[in-house]
Amino acid sequence: MFNFITFILFAVVCISYCHKSRGRRHFGDEYRINTPACDIVCEGQWKSEFHANFHKIYDTEYFEIPLDTAIVKNRANLKMFCSSTIQKYSCLRNECKIQRTPWSAEKHICVGHFDNFDRNINCLSLTDKYVQRECSNVCNSIKIEISQAEIDRMAEMDFSRQEKSEFVEQNKHCNVIACYQLCHEYIISKVCIDSAVAARSVVKSYYDSYLEREYTELNKDDQDELYSSFCRRVTPGQDENEFTANMTRYNNLTLDRMKNDIRSVFSILD
């Protein structure tokens, strides 16, 4: 009898512990085991050249969202940035024997889609001042909320305080990214009449790929439950109702509110 009761108690404790010790996602740089020093050298040289070329510190003064002025200011800047980036990936491939590298903003622009950026650089340059000023004002002040349905789901899934915090921060990040995409596409339509379709496609591809990277980072750590319904709505290939049902109307209202805020700021151009 004693052994049976002991076994039952042990099983209950184990189940409870296993449930509460789900893996956590940690934001920040990932530690890669056995990373050769070679790739650090390639990366360091690239950042050093970025500083020399643009007089900005890459880690603290360059922004991937929105597209940074340093690279869309003009064609010369774009080519200078991409020439250095191509050298970085050649270094990784030839010197470090690293044949496969994950998605990155600079890889997307310079390796995967340089011709598209180059063809549309005039439009990107013309719209940059609006993106940096008006779009930033809108997107840094948008109202961001978590739906009651998702709050209830977090309670049902017994999210830890850290998981709740990460869920909220990721949702904010997705809202800001989506806002910049909508805003940039909107201003392109107003300023770049003849090339608007092509330029919007360039911007959409960039932001879509950025969001796909966001999801991939969570999914590979088996933490995709921390990706909100809104994040799924704006990320290609994801289902906004996968974890929380009936979220389409809520997400529609969120996007409509963003669009109205953007139109209000740029009403002078209408």
Side-chain angles (χ1 to χ4, degrees):
M1 176 65 71
F2 176 77
N3 289 338
F4 178 76
I5 293 174
T6 301
F7 172 78
I8 294 297
L9 290 173
F10 176 79
V12 170
V13 171
C14 181
I15 292 172
S16 175
Y17 176 80
C18 292
H19 172 70
K20 292 182 180 297
S21 59
R22 295 198 307 271
R24 307 286 190 253
R25 183 195 180 198
H26 298 282
F27 289 86
D29 293 336
E30 295 180 352
Y31 175 74
R32 291 174 294 164
I33 299 174
N34 297 326
T35 298
C38 178
D39 68 340
I40 298 175
V41 172
C42 294
E43 186 79 10
Q45 182 178 353
W46 176 68
K47 291 180 179 180
S48 177
E49 289 181 3
F50 180 87
H51 181 259
N53 291 334
F54 300 107
H55 310 292
K56 297 172 70 172
I57 299 173
Y58 180 84
D59 288 331
T60 58
E61 297 179 290
Y62 173 84
F63 296 95
E64 297 176 346
I65 302 294
L67 286 163
D68 199 282
T69 299
I71 60 173
V72 298
K73 184 177 182 179
N74 52 50
R75 179 169 280 106
N77 277 27
L78 175 66
K79 288 186 174 181
M80 185 161 52
F81 175 76
C82 285
S83 175
S84 178
T85 298
I86 294 296
Q87 289 178 22
K88 179 180 82 166
Y89 282 98
S90 294
C91 177
L92 292 171
R93 185 172 57 255
N94 298 327
E95 302 299 327
C96 308
K97 308 305 179 185
I98 297 175
Q99 303 302 319
R100 298 182 62 183
T101 53
W103 187 94
S104 68
E106 69 274 10
K107 182 179 179 182
H108 178 95
I109 295 167
C110 300
V111 179
H113 300 271
F114 174 77
D115 288 344
N116 291 333
F117 274 85
D118 185 48
R119 280 194 295 268
N120 290 279
I121 191 62
N122 290 337
C123 175
L124 296 177
S125 177
L126 284 172
T127 56
D128 179 62
K129 64 180 180 180
Y130 298 105
V131 173
Q132 301 299 331
R133 188 175 60 226
E134 281 81 6
C135 289
S136 290
N137 288 339
V138 173
C139 297
N140 290 329
S141 60
I142 55 175
K143 183 180 181 180
I144 301 175
E145 297 178 333
I146 301 293
S147 69
Q148 186 59 50
E150 290 193 290
I151 292 173
D152 293 342
R153 181 177 70 83
M154 285 190 280
E156 291 171 3
M157 295 183 68
D158 196 22
F159 272 29
S160 68
R161 180 177 297 180
Q162 180 180 341
E163 287 171 325
K164 290 177 183 177
S165 176
E166 291 179 1
F167 183 94
V168 169
E169 287 304 311
Q170 182 66 64
N171 184 66
K172 287 180 181 178
H173 196 41
C174 290
N175 271 261
V176 171
I177 294 171
C179 178
Y180 271 114
Q181 178 179 341
L182 289 171
C183 192
H184 202 164
E185 290 181 6
Y186 182 83
I187 196 61
I188 284 172
S189 298
K190 296 296 181 181
V191 175
C192 310
I193 306 300
D194 295 335
S195 59
V197 173
R200 283 199 307 268
S201 178
V202 170
V203 169
K204 176 175 171 51
S205 172
Y206 177 78
Y207 283 99
D208 281 353
S209 297
Y210 197 98
L211 285 163
E212 287 175 331
R213 192 269 302 273
E214 293 287 297
Y215 174 75
T216 299
E217 289 297 308
L218 279 173
N219 189 48
K220 75 178 184 181
D221 292 334
D222 196 27
Q223 295 290 287
D224 59 337
E225 73 270 17
L226 301 183
Y227 210 57
S228 72
S229 173
F230 181 82
C231 287
R232 293 175 186 278
R233 169 62 179 270
V234 296
T235 302
Q238 299 304 313
D239 178 7
E240 63 189 321
N241 298 307
E242 181 171 351
F243 281 98
T244 308
N246 303 317
M247 288 295 295
T248 300
R249 182 175 181 276
Y250 184 89
N251 292 331
N252 284 343
L253 292 173
T254 299
L255 288 168
D256 287 343
R257 188 165 59 243
M258 279 185 195
K259 293 173 184 177
N260 288 335
D261 289 346
I262 291 167
R263 281 194 292 266
S264 177
V265 169
F266 289 109
S267 59
I268 190 173
L269 296 176
D270 291 332

